[in-house]
Amino acid sequence: MKQKVTAVFDIGKTNKKFFLFDKDFKEIHKEYTSFDEIKDEDGHPTEDIHALQNWLKEVFYKILKSEKFNVKAINFSTYGASFVHLDEEGEILTPLYNYTKEIDSEIVDQFYNKYGNDQELIRTSGASRSPGLLNSGLQLYWLKYKKPEIFKKIKYSLHLPQYLSYIFSGVPLNEYTSIGCHTILWNYETKDYQDWVYQEEIHKILPPIVSTETSLNMNYNGKRIKIGVGIHDSSSALLPYVRSIKKPFVLVSTGTWSIALNPFVDKPLTKEDVEADCINYMRINGKPVKSSRLFLGNEYKIQVNKLSEKFNVDKDYHKTVEFNYDVYFEVLQDFKHSFKWESFQDKNMPEKTKYLYNNFEHAYHHLMIELVKLQVDSIKTIADTQKIDRLYVDGGFTDNDIYIKLLSHYLRGMKLRTTKASLGSALGAAIAISDTKLNSKFLRKNYALKKHVPFIVND
């Protein structure tokens, strides 16, 4: 007898993952792949949306033909700040522009001079000012004024999670977590699109909004399947926690971006929050999630590659380095900030990286100390760590022994727990379209919850 399963595509910037979960949300099958990036018309690297689409269909068709599994539902979790623009025939009009792409400064200035110079747009939308497409709403404004011939052809603009759903359902829809995650499209006070969206008539190319928990009962290749509408990956990663934990906590979702999330806030950002560069993500019920973000995984990758070349070690050697107390103590002696970051600004940053050691292990420990201290500051920006004493970490950095031990040490007033790295937002996407109620035992039973006790030193 075939096993009933929920399928989830979890699409990251680097890794593309496919999971099958049983009725208890246990992972019973997974597949990973990655694609070489292509370039858009300006030469900027971006996702190969056509290769991604082909892989999705191939993997899902194979599973449907399987003698082992009976797929009852499918959902999609992806990174945000990315639009797919469709014409009347449902054909893709543009590359999937990378959210790292910077656009003409005069367009950015034109937009903010017209709509956001008083900071109210930034505050009520929960989206800090960006020089590029990280606030996805700005992409629509940019297209309207810089590529009007394309903009006129757009029937629907879908955020990436909803486009993946559209591939299988053929129904264009919009949902709250994609709209509300630092897009400058949403107003957290009025609970509607920002005024500028209506003034620019952008709302006309945005599909109807439905709940994130919405699913469409469809006949797909002769099988009756419940198709979810997709969910933003950070909101998805948060979902298992808010469904199963009642006491206040902070979640740090790590990967290319390290996102610190505080879901225990029930009002828009304040002026002070904006000045501290806080942003909002959104829970599936529309409530704001006060957040701060670091391009931590991206910076880590850059610096580790440089260290590997500097000390002539294998590019994967860093994965084998565990926390060493003696090395840590030695690095702390006469500690100075030594790394020049490429992904973000830091007031303590030197003009160029200073390599203070003659071996990889010491330099790597030093790098991790600097990165973790930035992570700690990011967490404290969005939460009073004296009042919230629970800290959960998921994603790629849960496998980094030094990151976890240092984070536990520098936030030793908080109870640190990590969860299985590979599931992350995929599990949240499965839960989003399920009627199953979660309890406090869920994380311990199904999510490989692990406690971490801080070491104590005088530093």
Side-chain angles (χ1 to χ4, degrees):
M1 185 175 179
K2 290 186 177 183
Q3 186 173 10
K4 294 180 180 179
V5 294
T6 296
V8 174
F9 283 103
D10 184 23
I11 307 303
K13 290 284 285 182
T14 302
N15 293 314
K16 323 302 174 187
K17 309 171 188 176
F18 176 73
F19 295 93
L20 294 179
F21 295 98
D22 68 12
K23 61 182 178 61
D24 297 316
F25 301 112
K26 289 183 179 178
E27 173 202 313
I28 58 175
H29 177 82
K30 65 181 177 182
E31 297 184 35
Y32 286 45
T33 193
S34 60
F35 304 109
D36 291 334
E37 288 184 315
I38 59 174
K39 293 183 178 180
D40 64 21
E41 67 272 18
D42 298 317
H44 195 86
T46 192
E47 185 87 64
D48 188 340
I49 187 64
H50 296 288
L52 174 60
Q53 178 176 289
N54 291 337
W55 177 75
L56 295 172
K57 291 180 177 180
E58 289 171 5
V59 169
F60 195 57
Y61 180 76
K62 180 180 66 176
I63 290 296
L64 289 182
K65 301 289 285 184
S66 168
E67 295 298 323
K68 293 175 59 179
F69 305 117
N70 180 12
V71 179
K72 305 302 292 183
I74 182 173
N75 206 2
F76 315 88
S77 167
T78 86
Y79 57 88
S82 302
F83 268 121
V84 179
H85 308 287
L86 305 177
D87 66 13
E88 288 275 1
E89 305 300 322
E91 297 298 320
I92 299 173
L93 287 167
T94 72
L96 181 64
Y97 293 115
N98 197 319
Y99 59 59
T100 62
K101 181 183 178 74
E102 293 193 5
I103 57 175
D104 315 69
S105 59
E106 65 267 21
I107 287 290
V108 178
D109 292 340
Q110 174 184 311
F111 175 83
Y112 283 103
N113 288 337
K114 190 174 182 181
Y115 296 114
N117 259 2
D118 60 358
Q119 298 292 299
E120 270 302 282
L121 173 64
I122 293 174
R123 188 185 69 79
T124 59
S125 69
S128 58
R129 177 166 175 158
S130 169
L133 300 184
L134 195 55
N135 297 335
S136 60
L138 192 59
Q139 181 180 150
L140 302 177
Y141 186 87
W142 169 68
L143 284 173
K144 181 178 179 179
Y145 288 98
K146 294 299 288 187
K147 299 178 184 290
E149 70 288 350
I150 292 177
F151 185 82
K152 290 175 183 177
K153 296 178 182 178
I154 297 176
K155 176 64 175 178
Y156 292 114
S157 290
L158 302 176
H159 276 107
L160 185 56
Q162 286 66 62
Y163 175 68
L164 300 195
S165 175
Y166 173 83
I167 290 173
F168 292 90
S169 72
V171 180
L173 293 170
N174 210 343
E175 63 81 42
Y176 288 104
T177 68
S178 291
I179 299 169
C181 293
H182 60 81
T183 64
I184 60 173
L185 292 169
W186 194 250
N187 188 318
Y188 277 89
E189 288 189 341
T190 64
K191 296 179 173 59
D192 193 1
Y193 287 126
Q194 290 281 344
D195 288 343
W196 78 266
V197 177
Y198 293 107
Q199 291 180 42
E200 297 290 344
E201 298 188 330
I202 297 292
H203 65 289
K204 292 183 177 180
I205 61 173
L206 298 174
I209 303 172
V210 298
S211 165
T212 313
E213 296 170 290
T214 299
S215 59
L216 306 170
N217 289 306
M218 307 283 293
N219 189 310
Y220 188 84
N221 280 10
K223 293 182 180 290
R224 201 70 180 168
I225 297 175
K226 186 166 67 172
I227 301 177
V229 298
I231 181 171
H232 185 285
D233 58 5
S234 294
S235 298
S236 187
L238 182 63
L239 187 57
Y241 297 87
V242 297
R243 286 278 182 89
S244 58
I245 302 170
K246 303 306 177 186
K247 294 184 179 180
F249 64 86
V250 170
L251 170 65
V252 181
S253 181
T254 65
T256 302
W257 283 90
S258 180
I259 314 292
L261 302 153
N262 176 7
F264 298 93
V265 177
D266 58 2
K267 56 181 181 295
L269 299 179
T270 65
K271 180 181 178 182
E272 290 72 26
D273 291 332
V274 170
E275 291 173 351
D277 201 30
C278 294
I279 58 173
N280 274 342
Y281 287 82
M282 188 183 279
R283 290 172 59 173
I284 64 171
N285 60 7
K287 290 185 177 180
V289 179
K290 188 177 179 182
S291 310
S292 59
R293 60 192 175 192
L294 279 172
F295 216 5
L296 199 71
N298 189 70
E299 187 63 38
Y300 174 87
K301 181 179 179 180
I302 291 170
Q303 298 298 339
V304 164
N305 285 341
K306 290 182 177 181
L307 287 181
S308 299
E309 291 181 9
K310 172 72 176 177
F311 295 103
N312 194 28
V313 300
D314 184 84
K315 62 182 179 64
D316 289 329
Y317 179 69
H318 64 103
K319 297 177 182 179
T320 69
V321 181
E322 296 184 350
F323 181 79
N324 184 295
Y325 294 93
D326 293 334
V327 172
Y328 172 74
F329 297 144
E330 290 173 20
V331 170
L332 281 186
Q333 304 302 315
D334 300 319
F335 185 86
K336 295 179 182 178
H337 292 278
S338 300
F339 288 89
K340 176 177 171 56
W341 310 127
E342 296 189 21
S343 304
F344 38 72
Q345 293 297 315
D346 177 13
K347 63 182 179 182
N348 296 310
M349 186 169 64
E351 292 185 3
K352 65 178 182 178
T353 298
K354 301 174 182 177
Y355 296 103
L356 306 176
Y357 310 98
N358 58 12
N359 66 77
F360 183 91
E361 285 73 11
H362 280 70
Y364 183 67
H365 274 69
H366 191 118
L367 170 66
M368 293 309 300
I369 291 171
E370 291 206 34
L371 289 177
V372 170
K373 285 187 174 183
L374 291 174
Q375 181 71 86
V376 169
D377 290 342
S378 176
I379 293 168
K380 290 182 175 180
T381 297
I382 53 95
D384 184 343
T385 56
Q386 301 301 312
K387 295 180 179 179
I388 299 180
D389 66 353
R390 283 169 171 75
L391 176 64
Y392 294 88
V393 180
D394 75 8
F397 273 102
T398 59
D399 292 328
N400 188 307
D401 183 62
I402 300 179
Y403 173 91
I404 293 300
K405 282 192 168 63
L406 290 176
L407 191 62
S408 176
H409 171 60
Y410 290 127
L411 289 173
R412 46 190 175 268
M414 303 184 79
K415 300 172 183 175
L416 174 61
R417 306 287 187 270
T418 57
T419 53
K420 189 175 180 181
S422 65
L423 295 179
S425 56
L427 183 57
I431 292 170
I433 56 171
S434 168
D435 298 326
T436 303
K437 302 294 182 183
L438 305 186
N439 58 39
S440 59
K441 297 179 181 179
F442 176 77
L443 289 178
R444 294 198 301 272
K445 183 179 179 182
N446 293 335
Y447 218 41
L449 193 66
K450 183 178 180 181
K451 298 180 181 179
H452 298 272
V453 179
F455 63 92
I456 302 298
V457 297
N458 294 319
D459 59 356

